[in-house]
Amino acid sequence: MNAGPILVFGEVEDGRAAPVSLELASQARRLSDAVVVLAYGSSTEGVDKAFASAGASAVHLAEHPVADRLIGPFAAAAMASLVGAVSPRAILIGATYTGRDVAGRLAVRARLGVIANVIDLMDKDGRLVALNTIFGATQIVESGFTSSSPGIFLVRPKSFEVAAHEGDVAVSRLEPPTDVQDSARIIESHSETSTGPGLEEAPVVVSGGRGLGDASNFALLTELARLTHGSVGASRAVVDAGWVPYSMQVGQTGKTVKPTVYIACGISGAMQHTVGMKGAKNIIAINRDQDAPIFKLADLGVVGDCLTVLPKVIEEIKARQQQG
């Protein structure tokens, strides 16, 4: 394990450590004995324990009263100060709305390079190397930095598992920077209300594509998800067609999911989609085209019309639930 420190930007949402930041801290621990986290938000009380249990060896807590509405400029300035103090071998930031903002500002402020769309990180002969997607997720390439300066890796959520870690952690408070221009603010935000588990946390995800034929047929997916305590996802094609909202999109330009069971209904299996769900433990594909690329990933493939197969699956599940 390389002893060079890795710096992680720790997003804090509603007083809790963001899942992607815990994933990055855990992966950083697999790559280094020294994992430094900057936890930034309007309230950071207690988040040091969450980051420590994920692998952090040092946590710097930084609070700002308007962090929820103006996090990017202040967080980037604080991260830049830590880059100078810690001399990290790499900087890991989650590819969220906030993370992208911080990464861009930090890159300019500290004159550092950025590799985006990272889906894996590994150590190769002492160098940190990333797997990332390019050309609209049609290609996966291996990337790294050749300069001696640390690089910024912008990592997609759900790329890594969080492993429990026990060990000492140094906790300190970092005063928010004062030399920051109040250039942009979030003046309003809206969270969609939904029932059942969130798409990224659901143990079962039922996703639909063009093979469903019509937006109204997503009702079958909703019913199947309800019966399995899951959530409904979608391919980019049907989101672009306006059938379902963007918040349901799984894939390169949507969300990354790692459920226990992923059911792909009428989805061909283009890389743009599969990069967001290939980490599922069990993949079931239903498609009329026996040559659809999705079958190469599937643990179970059903060649057939979703509109014929899904009602029978739903009927069988209901019958079994009534029996026991």
Side-chain angles (χ1 to χ4, degrees), residues 89-107:
R89 87 187 265 223
I91 301 159
L92 308 186
I93 300 177
T96 62
Y97 290 121
T98 297
R100 292 185 183 96
D101 183 25
V102 173
R105 294 175 185 275
L106 176 60

Side-chain angles (χ1 to χ4, degrees), residues 227-250:
L227 292 170
T228 56
H229 307 288
S231 186
V232 179
S235 68
R236 177 174 176 174
V238 298
V239 170
D240 288 347
W243 290 9
V244 295
Y246 170 72
S247 59
M248 293 171 61
Q249 183 178 326
V250 174

Side-chain angles (χ1 to χ4, degrees), residues 50-73:
F51 284 116
S53 65
S57 56
V59 179
H60 298 274
L61 303 174
E63 294 182 359
H64 195 283
V66 296
D68 291 342
R69 295 183 177 272
L70 184 66
I71 191 170

